[in-house]
Amino acid sequence: MFSSNLSDHSVILPGPPLSGGNNNNNTSKQPLDKKEQYIQQQLKLKKHLYTEVNKIKIAIGTWNVNSKLPNLVNTSISNFLQINEQPEIIAIGLQEIDMTAEAMLKKETESKNEWLTILETELNYSSTKNKYIRIADKQLVGMCIAVFVNDKIYKYITNINIESLALGAMNVMGNKGGIGIRFKLFNSSICFVTSHLAPHMGAITKRNQNYFDIYNNLTFPKLDEDLNDNENDNLNELMIGDQHDYYFWFGDLNYRIDGLERDQVTEMLSTHHNNQILNTNNVNIKNIQLLLENDQLTRERMGGRVFIGFKEGKINFLPTYKYDPGTLQFDSSEKRRVPAYTDRILWKGKFRDIVKQLNYCNHVNCLISDHLPVTSLFEVDIYNEVDYKKKQLKEMIIKEYNNLLNNNYGSNNNNLIQLSCNEIYFENVRFNIPQSIHFYIKNISQNVCEYLFVSNKGLDPTKIGEDWLIDVSPMNGLILPNEQVEIKLTCCFNLQNSKNYNLNLINSHFEDNLMIHIENGKDYFIRVYGNYLISCYGNTLEHLVTCYQPVRSTSTSVIKKKKQQLTIPKELFFLCDYIFKYGLREEGLFQQQGTLEQIRECRELLDQGQSLSKHYTGNIHSICNCLITFLENLCDPIISSPLTYRKLMEYYLDEEKCKNIIANELSKTHYHVFLYLCMFLREVLMNSDANDLTADVLAQGFADVMIRSPQHLPIDLKKKHVKCKIQILKYFLTDEFHSKLMDKEDDQLFEIHGK
């Protein structure tokens, strides 16, 4: 249930995130017919010859509604929908439409339906020229997104996909996160993402991490032309938002005004009286720009730490937060929050620079919430392929290809290509952190050259490389005379392929030879090698309890000489001990994301055997993420026997049977680890007055990592087992069980035992 969503590769490599547990991309893909491949390449290069361009308007609105509904008699939202501009597309993102416990459990609530009714009623009533059709909508707890299009373009909409990513409690609660809707209009792709990022003045790093989580992990199925495009990565056949032509991101991003006191901010907004805005048309623009110099989002973007490559229009309007609902009076509650521009609209995508922003404003007549809504109107170019022009060009390309093919007959093709290097070295590869290196294949002949990476593995003709080589792209293609193609090799050690290295069963040096076949020519070889840094992640409990020294300095010979072993892995103890000392009473414990940098720092300290208390510089939430990912990446799960797992699922309603199964069927080490974690979680619950955690929430978060489903089980069955796991784990979190365990075990769970 709990997933870190912080796989390290998400920042290192651009494009869709790599799957640390999949090597499907390491198999040979059936190459396209070379004639068809050449045609597709040339059509792409000459796309402008058969494409027409039309301009359309896109209206975007974002509003944190604070669980309120507008009264249409007193509050007109037509300006919020920008109906007077007659946009072809309207995208609306709402936050906090429903923050009840019911919303946490249900996919949709009545609040979403009420809001959709309000929006559609206003569209139908206020729009005299156009009729709007809702093409997609989605609720994620308090967030909601809906897209409406003009009925005149509706029939040209294709490839509609809706995705969401929860970043709230245990990463399964959607009170924070993002929702995306993407589609194609004619031949142009458009992606809308709305998000609600982490709150509070000082949570800049958390907001930045929320952004990266959404940016990298909110993915969509690749569009047809991208699936057939050998110049693109086909990893998982997914694409992220900014791989679309137009990519709009809007929502309550929660970035605040930093470094200024509340009274300073209200004083700078000179048209107020007793914090009540009197004339919104006479706000001092220069002072607004001074405010924006202290705006966290502006600073983070300028520092290259967030929303990299995005554009935002000039802000010439009042702060959007925080007001007393129903008024233009800044927050007069006890907290007296500093006014801020929390609600924003940004854009990116392949055609970012041709987007024209027509307006960017807030709406001071919509006062139901403590936020003001924000809207923007854009003009974009939509590309439409003209069939008869494309057909004519394709016929010309076929003739061109036939001429090139005729010129190839009788030629000597024994030396067609030149490699930019003969060796590729991956240095210090760490667990689950992909590394990518590029090289070039150049066609040095006067003929069209076709290359293909092929298998040199006699036992498995489908594999072109070892398991750690998770991607070679593009794996095949045509190269015109005197042109070159860039090849990317990606190496990654994950749970599936790192076990033998982590257990010291083989040398940490790795090596392979890739074969590049040239049609009507010779084969070329390129050496790929490197060194892997051994980790406690992707290891086994039985091995880790034999390692007194750091895993990177523990040799097989040292382990064999040991006659004693630890009760639990020292790395598990270090993580839990750090949380015990510094985080038990932390608000949001196990409910907030850490950061990639801090998680990698923690993992490196564990692998090197250095003290977290002395050397770790990050926050407690990153340590919590490390604990979860440590358990997720055990080669052998705590409940390692499929038979034991099946028994637990069968008797999950019988507390005594479940406890007996755990006690009698787990190995000594695995049983100690299970009990130690239960004791630790009980300590967490004993501080629930501060950390707000309950047994239900903790059981939901740890169920999948402490009682991991066997890999062979169907996904539907795994989902059904979740409630069984939660129930089983709750048996071990009771006060009664904890008291018995403490009396029995006392402080013996980290002592050294003889075998």
Side-chain angles (χ1 to χ4, degrees), residues 67-84:
S67 299
K68 303 292 195 307
L69 288 170
N71 183 340
L72 295 183
V73 176
N74 301 320
T75 303
S76 172
I77 62 171
S78 62
N79 289 336
F80 173 60
L81 295 171
Q82 304 186 76
I83 298 171
N84 291 338

Side-chain angles (χ1 to χ4, degrees), residues 595-610:
T595 69
L596 283 174
E597 290 183 359
Q598 293 174 8
I599 288 173
R600 289 162 64 179
E601 175 192 358
C602 175
R603 278 172 35 177
E604 193 68 14
L605 291 173
L606 291 174
D607 289 339
Q608 294 179 3
Q610 298 188 47

Side-chain angles (χ1 to χ4, degrees), residues 170-188:
M170 297 295 182
N171 288 325
V172 297
M173 300 301 183
N175 54 313
K176 296 293 181 290
I179 318 173
I181 293 176
R182 80 90 185 271
F183 56 90
K184 285 183 69 177
L185 173 57
F186 291 109
N187 298 101
S188 294

Side-chain angles (χ1 to χ4, degrees), residues 63-251:
W63 195 1
N64 184 321
V65 298
N66 194 26
S67 299
K68 303 292 195 307
L69 288 170
N71 183 340
L72 295 183
V73 176
N74 301 320
T75 303
S76 172
I77 62 171
S78 62
N79 289 336
F80 173 60
L81 295 171
Q82 304 186 76
I83 298 171
N84 291 338
E85 300 291 344
Q86 298 297 319
E88 280 77 9
I89 299 173
I90 300 174
I92 299 298
L94 303 173
Q95 303 84 42
E96 297 191 13
I97 64 169
D98 190 341
M99 300 304 292
T100 63
E102 178 189 21
M104 294 287 182
L105 300 174
K106 291 186 175 181
K107 292 183 178 180
E108 293 186 357
T109 64
E110 188 58 32
S111 296
K112 186 199 86 165
N113 297 326
E114 290 175 338
W115 264 105
L116 290 179
T117 300
I118 289 171
L119 295 175
E120 290 178 330
T121 300
E122 189 69 28
L123 284 172
N124 292 330
Y125 176 78
S126 300
S127 179
T128 57
K129 294 182 180 180
N130 297 319
K131 179 181 178 182
Y132 288 95
I133 300 172
R134 173 163 39 101
I135 63 168
D137 62 81
K138 173 72 174 179
Q139 180 181 359
L140 180 64
V141 187
M143 281 179 291
C144 177
I145 187 172
V147 176
F148 306 86
V149 302
N150 185 312
D151 62 345
K152 296 181 179 64
I153 66 170
Y154 175 71
K155 63 182 178 180
Y156 303 111
I157 300 288
T158 59
N159 295 90
I160 300 173
N161 291 98
I162 308 171
E163 303 293 340
S164 62
L165 183 70
L167 296 174
M170 297 295 182
N171 288 325
V172 297
M173 300 301 183
N175 54 313
K176 296 293 181 290
I179 318 173
I181 293 176
R182 80 90 185 271
F183 56 90
K184 285 183 69 177
L185 173 57
F186 291 109
N187 298 101
S188 294
S189 58
I190 304 173
C191 180
F192 296 108
V193 168
T194 191
S195 66
H196 195 184
L197 306 186
H200 306 309
M201 176 70 77
I204 302 174
T205 303
K206 295 175 186 176
R207 285 189 278 278
N208 292 356
Q209 187 59 56
N210 285 168
Y211 157 77
F212 278 109
D213 291 337
I214 297 170
Y215 180 86
N216 287 290
N217 297 317
L218 189 65
T219 56
F220 302 85
K222 279 199 171 182
L223 298 168
D224 293 341
E225 62 267 27
D226 294 313
L227 286 172
N228 295 325
D229 184 359
N230 285 315
E231 294 181 3
N232 288 326
D233 297 330
N234 290 326
L235 300 176
N236 300 332
E237 297 186 346
L238 296 174
M239 61 192 297
I240 58 174
D242 75 354
Q243 291 177 306
H244 295 86
D245 295 332
Y246 301 106
Y247 182 28
F248 297 95
W249 190 317
F250 47 98

Side-chain angles (χ1 to χ4, degrees), residues 284-427:
N284 192 319
I285 300 301
K286 291 184 179 180
N287 284 348
I288 285 181
Q289 299 312 310
L290 290 175
L291 280 182
L292 291 170
E293 291 178 5
N294 293 277
D295 171 62
Q296 293 175 346
L297 179 56
T298 301
R299 288 180 172 178
E300 294 303 295
R301 286 181 61 218
M302 291 178 65
R305 292 181 289 274
V306 72
F307 285 97
I308 303 161
F310 280 82
K311 281 189 171 184
E312 183 183 20
K314 189 173 183 179
I315 294 177
N316 287 326
F317 50 84
L318 288 168
T320 61
Y321 173 86
K322 176 179 182 172
Y323 296 90
D324 293 340
T327 74
L328 281 174
Q329 179 170 308
F330 292 121
D331 181 24
S332 62
S333 70
E334 183 179 346
K335 294 183 178 180
R336 291 174 56 82
R337 292 180 177 86
V338 178
Y341 293 93
T342 55
D343 310 273
R344 311 288 272 268
I345 301 172
L346 303 94
W347 73 94
K348 199 181 177 185
K350 295 179 182 178
F351 300 145
R352 180 199 70 173
D353 294 332
I354 65 173
V355 173
K356 183 178 180 181
Q357 188 177 43
L358 303 179
N359 65 46
Y360 191 22
C361 60
N362 65 12
H363 296 272
V364 296
N365 61 331
C366 298
L367 301 176
I368 62 171
S369 172
D370 54 356
H371 289 250
L372 295 179
V374 174
T375 62
S376 186
L377 185 68
F378 298 92
E379 184 180 79
V380 302
D381 292 340
I382 297 297
Y383 296 87
N384 180 25
E385 296 180 2
V386 182
D387 290 339
Y388 81 89
K389 291 183 178 181
K390 185 175 182 179
K391 183 178 179 181
Q392 289 176 350
L393 180 59
K394 185 174 181 179
E395 290 174 354
M396 292 175 59
I397 293 172
I398 291 173
K399 291 180 181 179
E400 182 182 78
Y401 175 82
N402 290 334
N403 289 334
L404 287 170
L405 192 66
N406 291 334
N407 292 335
N408 274 0
Y409 285 132
S411 61
N412 182 2
N413 290 343
N414 288 330
N415 190 22
L416 285 173
I417 68 167
Q418 184 179 69
L419 301 178
S420 61
C421 61
N422 295 315
E423 293 185 346
I424 298 290
Y425 181 65
F426 290 99
E427 183 177 9

